[in-house]
């Protein structure tokens, strides 16, 4: 962590060092171009608002029996109305939220929150736990990209949580993966409840495992929130 702090200080000093006026103006223009889709208000409420728009389109698609018709409907009614220019993204990024979620193929944050490239900083692993590389990635998002929100999102039918609740033998690496999930389980909980408990436990673990994230929360620069995504309805609810 000391090394990370020194590295962060080095970056900060470089950022504050005097630069030619032309370079500073160019950087300012890039920040503006990267921020065109950035919400003006609470990022958590913006995610939920965009998810409500997604839900309506998702449920409309459910009523079509033909896969091509569903694809056409989703394409025509997709609620994403903003995209950062590709040339700006080639030069940098300015995401306004981070999402720690499952690697499940049905759980794509850009899809669920109707976001374009450059808006979300995503960390994905089966079971959305606070794993080492994931925590380090989120430290980068907060320290270097100034992301103000981390949403830890579990989902319905999660295979990793299902495996943690069962007694079937797993490979050594899978056993390691489900260990923190098992620690979050409560007696008598069904799968949906277990997923919510796991998301809440992972959210609580982030500032415990990272002094950098803990400090950002304490200073009011970062919010960490757990959530649950229901695949069938498309709805995200807070935990």
């Amino acid at each position: 962590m000391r090394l990370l702090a020194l590295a962060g200080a080095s970056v900060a000093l470089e950022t504050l060092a005097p630069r030619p006026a032309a370079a500073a103006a160019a950087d300012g223009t890039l920040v503006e171009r990267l921020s065109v889709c950035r919400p003006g208000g609470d990022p958590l409420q913006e995610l939920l608002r965009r998810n409500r728009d997604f839900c309506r389109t998702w449920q409309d698609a459910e009523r079509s029996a033909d896969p091509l018709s569903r694809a056409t409907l989703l394409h025509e009614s997709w609620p994403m109305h903003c995209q950062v220019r590709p040339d700006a993204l080639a030069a940098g990024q300015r995401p306004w939220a981070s999402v720690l979620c499952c690697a499940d193929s049905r759980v794509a944050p850009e899809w669920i929150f109707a976001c374009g490239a450059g808006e979300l900083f995503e960390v994905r692993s089966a079971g959305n736990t606070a794993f080492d590389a994931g925590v380090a990635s989120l430290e980068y998002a907060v320290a270097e990209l100034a992301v103000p929100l981390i949403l830890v999102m579990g989902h319905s039918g999660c295979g990793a949580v299902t495996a943690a609740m069962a007694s079937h033998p797993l490979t050594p690496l899978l056993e390691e993966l489900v260990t923190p999930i098992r620690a979050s389980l409560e007696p008598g909980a069904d799968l949906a409840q277990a997923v919510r408990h796991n998301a809440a436990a992972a959210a609580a673990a982030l500032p415990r495992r990272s002094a950098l994230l803990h400090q950002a929360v304490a200073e009011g620069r970062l919010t960490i929130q757990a959530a649950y995504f229901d695949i069938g309805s498309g709805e995200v609810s807070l935990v």
Side-chain angles (χ1 to χ4, degrees):
M1 183 55 66
R2 175 64 175 165
L3 291 175
L4 280 173
L6 290 173
S10 175
V11 170
L13 288 173
E14 291 176 5
T15 302
L16 294 173
R19 290 172 297 165
D27 286 354
T29 301
L30 177 60
V31 169
E32 291 176 4
R33 291 161 66 201
L34 290 171
S35 304
V36 294
C37 299
R38 198 176 184 91
D42 182 353
L44 177 59
Q45 293 307 312
E46 178 65 10
L47 285 180
L48 295 176
R49 184 191 71 77
R50 294 191 186 195
N51 173 251
R52 288 193 294 271
D53 292 341
F54 163 77
C55 283
R56 287 190 287 271
T57 302
W58 189 239
Q59 291 167 16
D60 285 345
E62 173 68 22
R63 290 188 277 274
S64 175
D66 177 63
L68 180 58
S69 297
R70 284 195 297 273
T72 300
L73 173 64
L74 288 170
H75 174 73
E76 292 176 347
S77 304
W78 191 242
M80 187 184 79
H81 300 299
C82 187
Q83 175 59 59
V84 179
R85 284 177 57 115
D87 61 347
L89 291 173
Q93 60 171 320
R94 196 166 183 248
W96 51 270
S98 291
V99 182
L100 171 59
C101 67
C102 189
D104 192 295
S105 63
R106 302 164 294 177
V107 186
E110 297 100 333
W111 182 255
I112 297 166
F113 297 111
C115 288
E119 295 192 75
L120 301 180
F121 186 94
E122 300 170 21
V123 176
R124 301 184 65 176
S125 177
N128 47 268
T129 59
F131 63 106
D132 288 351
V135 176
S137 298
L138 292 170
E139 286 183 333
Y140 171 80
V142 172
E144 302 300 329
L145 303 176
V147 169
L149 170 68
I150 298 174
L151 187 73
V152 182
M153 187 173 70
H155 68 92
S156 60
C158 181
V161 176
T162 299
M165 298 175 71
S167 58
H168 308 303
L170 301 171
T171 69
L173 289 177
L174 284 173
E175 284 288 352
E176 182 179 338
L177 184 146
V178 303
T179 295
I181 301 176
R182 283 181 174 149
S184 74
L185 297 178
E186 297 184 5
D190 60 20
L191 178 57
Q193 291 169 328
V195 169
R196 289 182 172 88
H197 294 160
N198 177 56
L206 291 176
R208 288 202 310 267
R209 300 204 56 222
S210 168
L212 188 154
L213 298 182
H214 175 83
Q215 182 177 357
V217 171
E219 293 175 354
R221 295 184 287 110
L222 175 67
T223 297
I224 302 175
Q225 174 67 53
Y228 177 86
F229 172 58
D230 180 74
I231 296 172
S233 68
E235 181 180 10
V236 172
S237 56
L238 301 183
V239 173

Coordinates of all heavy atoms in Angstrom, one line a residue, residues 99-151:
V99 N -18.5 -0.6 -11.6 CA -19.4 -1.7 -11.3 C -18.6 -2.9 -11.1 O -17.8 -3.4 -12.0 CB -20.4 -1.9 -12.4 CG1 -21.4 -3.1 -12.0 CG2 -21.2 -0.7 -12.7
L100 N -18.7 -3.5 -9.9 CA -18.1 -4.8 -9.6 C -19.2 -5.8 -9.7 O -20.2 -5.8 -8.9 CB -17.5 -4.8 -8.2 CG -17.1 -6.2 -7.6 CD1 -16.0 -6.8 -8.5 CD2 -16.6 -6.0 -6.2
C101 N -19.2 -6.7 -10.7 CA -20.3 -7.6 -11.0 C -19.8 -8.9 -11.4 O -18.6 -9.2 -11.6 CB -21.3 -7.0 -12.0 SG -20.6 -6.8 -13.6
C102 N -20.7 -9.8 -11.6 CA -20.4 -11.2 -12.0 C -20.0 -11.3 -13.4 O -20.3 -10.5 -14.3 CB -21.6 -12.1 -11.7 SG -21.3 -13.9 -11.9
A103 N -19.2 -12.3 -13.7 CA -18.7 -12.6 -15.1 C -19.8 -13.2 -15.9 O -19.6 -13.5 -17.1 CB -17.5 -13.4 -15.1
D104 N -20.9 -13.5 -15.4 CA -22.0 -14.2 -16.1 C -22.4 -13.5 -17.4 O -22.4 -12.3 -17.4 CB -23.3 -14.2 -15.1 CG -24.4 -15.1 -15.6 OD1 -24.9 -14.8 -16.7 OD2 -24.7 -16.0 -14.9
S105 N -22.6 -14.3 -18.4 CA -22.8 -13.7 -19.8 C -24.1 -12.9 -19.9 O -24.3 -12.1 -20.8 CB -22.8 -14.8 -20.8 OG -23.9 -15.7 -20.6
R106 N -25.0 -13.1 -18.9 CA -26.3 -12.3 -18.9 C -26.2 -11.0 -18.2 O -27.2 -10.3 -18.1 CB -27.4 -13.2 -18.3 CG -27.5 -14.6 -19.0 CD -28.3 -15.5 -18.1 NE -27.6 -15.9 -16.9 CZ -28.1 -16.7 -15.9 NH1 -29.3 -17.1 -16.0 NH2 -27.3 -17.0 -14.9
V107 N -25.1 -10.7 -17.6 CA -25.0 -9.5 -16.7 C -23.9 -8.5 -17.3 O -22.8 -8.5 -16.8 CB -24.6 -10.0 -15.3 CG1 -24.6 -8.8 -14.4 CG2 -25.5 -11.1 -14.8
A108 N -24.3 -7.8 -18.3 CA -23.4 -6.8 -18.9 C -23.8 -5.4 -18.5 O -24.9 -5.0 -18.8 CB -23.4 -6.9 -20.4
P109 N -22.9 -4.7 -17.7 CA -23.3 -3.4 -17.1 C -23.8 -2.4 -18.2 O -24.7 -1.7 -17.9 CB -22.1 -3.0 -16.4 CG -21.4 -4.3 -16.0 CD -21.6 -5.2 -17.2
E110 N -23.0 -2.3 -19.3 CA -23.5 -1.3 -20.3 C -24.9 -1.6 -20.8 O -25.6 -0.7 -21.1 CB -22.5 -1.3 -21.5 CG -21.1 -1.0 -21.2 CD -20.2 -2.2 -21.1 OE1 -20.8 -3.3 -20.7 OE2 -19.0 -2.1 -21.3
W111 N -25.2 -2.8 -20.9 CA -26.6 -3.3 -21.3 C -27.6 -2.9 -20.3 O -28.6 -2.2 -20.6 CB -26.5 -4.8 -21.5 CG -27.7 -5.5 -22.0 CD1 -28.6 -6.2 -21.3 CD2 -28.2 -5.5 -23.4 NE1 -29.6 -6.8 -22.1 CE2 -29.4 -6.3 -23.4 CE3 -27.8 -4.9 -24.5 CZ2 -30.1 -6.6 -24.5 CZ3 -28.6 -5.2 -25.7 CH2 -29.7 -6.0 -25.7
I112 N -27.3 -3.3 -19.0 CA -28.3 -3.1 -17.9 C -28.5 -1.6 -17.6 O -29.6 -1.2 -17.3 CB -27.7 -3.8 -16.7 CG1 -27.7 -5.3 -16.9 CG2 -28.6 -3.5 -15.5 CD1 -26.9 -6.1 -15.9
F113 N -27.4 -0.8 -17.8 CA -27.5 0.6 -17.5 C -27.5 1.5 -18.7 O -27.4 2.8 -18.6 CB -26.4 1.0 -16.5 CG -26.5 0.3 -15.2 CD1 -25.5 -0.6 -14.8 CD2 -27.5 0.6 -14.3 CE1 -25.6 -1.3 -13.6 CE2 -27.6 -0.1 -13.1 CZ -26.6 -1.1 -12.8
A114 N -27.7 1.0 -19.9 CA -27.8 1.7 -21.1 C -26.7 2.8 -21.3 O -26.9 3.9 -21.5 CB -29.1 2.4 -21.2
C115 N -25.4 2.3 -21.1 CA -24.3 3.2 -21.1 C -23.4 2.9 -22.3 O -23.3 1.8 -22.8 CB -23.4 3.0 -19.8 SG -24.2 3.7 -18.3
G116 N -22.7 4.0 -22.8 CA -21.8 3.8 -23.9 C -20.4 3.6 -23.4 O -20.1 3.6 -22.2
A117 N -19.5 3.4 -24.4 CA -18.1 3.2 -24.1 C -17.5 4.4 -23.3 O -17.8 5.5 -23.6 CB -17.3 2.9 -25.3
G118 N -16.7 4.1 -22.3 CA -16.1 5.2 -21.5 C -16.9 5.7 -20.3 O -16.4 6.5 -19.6
E119 N -18.1 5.2 -20.1 CA -18.9 5.7 -19.0 C -18.7 4.8 -17.7 O -18.8 5.4 -16.6 CB -20.4 5.7 -19.4 CG -20.7 6.7 -20.5 CD -22.2 6.8 -20.6 OE1 -22.8 7.5 -19.8 OE2 -22.8 6.3 -21.6
L120 N -18.6 3.5 -17.9 CA -18.5 2.6 -16.7 C -17.1 2.0 -16.7 O -16.6 1.5 -17.7 CB -19.5 1.6 -16.8 CG -21.0 2.0 -16.8 CD1 -21.9 0.8 -16.8 CD2 -21.3 2.9 -15.6
F121 N -16.5 1.9 -15.5 CA -15.3 1.2 -15.2 C -15.7 -0.1 -14.6 O -16.2 -0.2 -13.5 CB -14.4 2.0 -14.3 CG -13.0 1.3 -14.1 CD1 -11.9 1.7 -14.9 CD2 -12.8 0.4 -13.1 CE1 -10.7 1.1 -14.7 CE2 -11.6 -0.2 -12.9 CZ -10.5 0.2 -13.7
E122 N -15.5 -1.2 -15.3 CA -16.1 -2.5 -14.9 C -15.0 -3.5 -14.4 O -14.0 -3.6 -15.0 CB -16.8 -3.2 -16.0 CG -18.0 -2.3 -16.6 CD -18.5 -2.9 -17.9 OE1 -18.3 -4.1 -18.1 OE2 -19.1 -2.1 -18.6
V123 N -15.4 -4.2 -13.3 CA -14.6 -5.3 -12.8 C -15.5 -6.5 -12.6 O -16.5 -6.4 -12.0 CB -13.9 -4.9 -11.4 CG1 -13.2 -6.1 -10.8 CG2 -13.0 -3.7 -11.5
R124 N -15.1 -7.6 -13.3 CA -16.0 -8.7 -13.3 C -15.3 -10.0 -13.0 O -14.2 -10.3 -13.4 CB -16.7 -8.9 -14.7 CG -17.4 -7.6 -15.2 CD -18.1 -7.8 -16.5 NE -19.2 -8.8 -16.4 CZ -20.0 -9.2 -17.4 NH1 -19.9 -8.5 -18.6 NH2 -20.9 -10.1 -17.3
S125 N -16.0 -10.8 -12.1 CA -15.5 -12.1 -11.7 C -16.7 -12.9 -11.2 O -17.6 -12.3 -10.7 CB -14.4 -12.0 -10.6 OG -14.0 -13.3 -10.2
A126 N -16.7 -14.2 -11.4 CA -17.8 -15.1 -11.0 C -18.0 -14.8 -9.5 O -17.1 -14.9 -8.7 CB -17.4 -16.5 -11.2
G127 N -19.2 -14.4 -9.2 CA -19.6 -14.2 -7.8 C -19.4 -12.8 -7.3 O -19.7 -12.6 -6.1
N128 N -18.9 -11.9 -8.1 CA -18.6 -10.5 -7.7 C -18.1 -10.3 -6.3 O -18.6 -9.6 -5.5 CB -19.9 -9.7 -7.9 CG -21.2 -10.3 -7.3 OD1 -21.9 -11.0 -8.1 ND2 -21.5 -10.0 -6.1
T129 N -17.0 -11.1 -6.0 CA -16.4 -10.9 -4.6 C -15.3 -9.9 -4.7 O -14.9 -9.4 -5.7 CB -15.8 -12.3 -4.2 OG1 -14.8 -12.6 -5.2 CG2 -16.8 -13.4 -4.1
A130 N -14.8 -9.5 -3.5 CA -13.8 -8.5 -3.3 C -12.4 -9.2 -3.5 O -11.6 -9.3 -2.5 CB -13.9 -7.8 -2.0
F131 N -12.1 -9.7 -4.7 CA -10.9 -10.5 -4.9 C -9.7 -9.5 -5.1 O -9.9 -8.3 -5.5 CB -11.1 -11.4 -6.1 CG -11.3 -10.8 -7.4 CD1 -10.3 -10.7 -8.4 CD2 -12.6 -10.2 -7.7 CE1 -10.6 -10.1 -9.6 CE2 -12.8 -9.6 -8.9 CZ -11.8 -9.5 -9.9
D132 N -8.5 -10.0 -4.9 CA -7.4 -9.1 -4.9 C -7.2 -8.2 -6.1 O -7.1 -7.0 -6.0 CB -6.1 -9.9 -4.7 CG -5.9 -10.5 -3.3 OD1 -6.7 -10.2 -2.4 OD2 -5.0 -11.3 -3.1
A133 N -7.2 -8.8 -7.3 CA -7.0 -8.0 -8.5 C -8.2 -7.1 -8.7 O -8.0 -6.0 -9.3 CB -6.9 -8.9 -9.7
G134 N -9.4 -7.5 -8.3 CA -10.5 -6.6 -8.4 C -10.4 -5.4 -7.5 O -10.8 -4.3 -8.0
V135 N -10.0 -5.6 -6.3 CA -9.8 -4.5 -5.4 C -8.8 -3.5 -5.9 O -9.0 -2.3 -5.9 CB -9.5 -4.9 -4.0 CG1 -9.2 -3.8 -3.0 CG2 -10.6 -5.8 -3.4
A136 N -7.7 -4.1 -6.4 CA -6.6 -3.2 -7.0 C -7.1 -2.4 -8.2 O -6.8 -1.2 -8.3 CB -5.4 -4.1 -7.4
S137 N -7.9 -3.0 -9.0 CA -8.5 -2.3 -10.2 C -9.4 -1.2 -9.7 O -9.4 -0.1 -10.3 CB -9.3 -3.3 -11.0 OG -8.5 -4.4 -11.5
L138 N -10.2 -1.4 -8.7 CA -11.0 -0.3 -8.2 C -10.2 0.8 -7.5 O -10.6 1.9 -7.6 CB -12.1 -0.9 -7.2 CG -13.1 -1.9 -7.8 CD1 -13.9 -2.6 -6.8 CD2 -14.0 -1.1 -8.8
E139 N -9.1 0.4 -6.9 CA -8.2 1.4 -6.3 C -7.7 2.3 -7.5 O -7.7 3.6 -7.3 CB -7.0 0.8 -5.6 CG -7.3 0.2 -4.3 CD -6.1 -0.4 -3.6 OE1 -5.2 -0.8 -4.3 OE2 -6.1 -0.4 -2.4
Y140 N -7.4 1.7 -8.6 CA -6.9 2.5 -9.8 C -8.1 3.5 -10.2 O -7.8 4.6 -10.5 CB -6.5 1.6 -10.9 CG -6.3 2.3 -12.2 CD1 -5.1 3.0 -12.4 CD2 -7.3 2.4 -13.2 CE1 -4.9 3.7 -13.6 CE2 -7.1 3.1 -14.4 CZ -5.9 3.7 -14.6 OH -5.7 4.4 -15.7
A141 N -9.3 2.9 -10.3 CA -10.4 3.7 -10.8 C -10.7 4.9 -9.9 O -11.0 6.0 -10.4 CB -11.7 2.9 -10.8
V142 N -10.5 4.8 -8.6 CA -10.7 5.8 -7.6 C -9.6 6.8 -7.6 O -9.7 8.0 -7.6 CB -11.0 5.3 -6.2 CG1 -11.1 6.4 -5.2 CG2 -12.4 4.5 -6.2
A143 N -8.3 6.3 -7.5 CA -7.2 7.1 -7.3 C -6.8 7.9 -8.6 O -6.4 9.0 -8.6 CB -6.0 6.3 -6.9
E144 N -6.9 7.2 -9.8 CA -6.4 7.8 -11.0 C -7.5 8.4 -11.9 O -7.3 9.3 -12.6 CB -5.6 6.8 -11.8 CG -4.4 6.2 -11.1 CD -3.4 7.2 -10.7 OE1 -3.3 8.2 -11.4 OE2 -2.8 7.1 -9.7
L145 N -8.7 7.8 -11.8 CA -9.8 8.3 -12.6 C -10.9 9.1 -11.8 O -11.9 9.5 -12.4 CB -10.5 7.1 -13.3 CG -9.5 6.2 -14.2 CD1 -10.3 5.0 -14.7 CD2 -8.9 7.1 -15.3
A146 N -10.7 9.1 -10.5 CA -11.6 9.9 -9.6 C -13.1 9.4 -9.8 O -14.0 10.2 -9.7 CB -11.5 11.4 -9.9
V147 N -13.3 8.1 -9.9 CA -14.6 7.6 -10.0 C -15.3 7.7 -8.6 O -14.8 7.3 -7.6 CB -14.6 6.1 -10.4 CG1 -15.9 5.4 -10.2 CG2 -14.1 5.9 -11.8
P148 N -16.5 8.3 -8.6 CA -17.2 8.6 -7.3 C -18.1 7.5 -6.8 O -18.6 7.7 -5.7 CB -18.0 9.9 -7.6 CG -18.4 9.6 -9.1 CD -17.2 8.9 -9.7
L149 N -18.3 6.5 -7.5 CA -19.3 5.4 -7.1 C -18.8 4.0 -7.5 O -18.3 3.8 -8.6 CB -20.6 5.7 -7.8 CG -21.7 4.5 -7.7 CD1 -22.2 4.4 -6.2 CD2 -22.8 4.8 -8.6
I150 N -18.9 3.1 -6.6 CA -18.7 1.7 -6.9 C -20.0 1.0 -6.5 O -20.4 1.0 -5.4 CB -17.5 1.1 -6.0 CG1 -16.2 1.7 -6.4 CG2 -17.4 -0.4 -6.3 CD1 -15.1 1.3 -5.5
L151 N -20.6 0.4 -7.6 CA -21.8 -0.5 -7.4 C -21.4 -1.9 -7.4 O -20.8 -2.4 -8.4 CB -22.8 -0.2 -8.5 CG -24.2 -0.8 -8.3 CD1 -24.9 -0.1 -7.2 CD2 -25.0 -0.8 -9.6

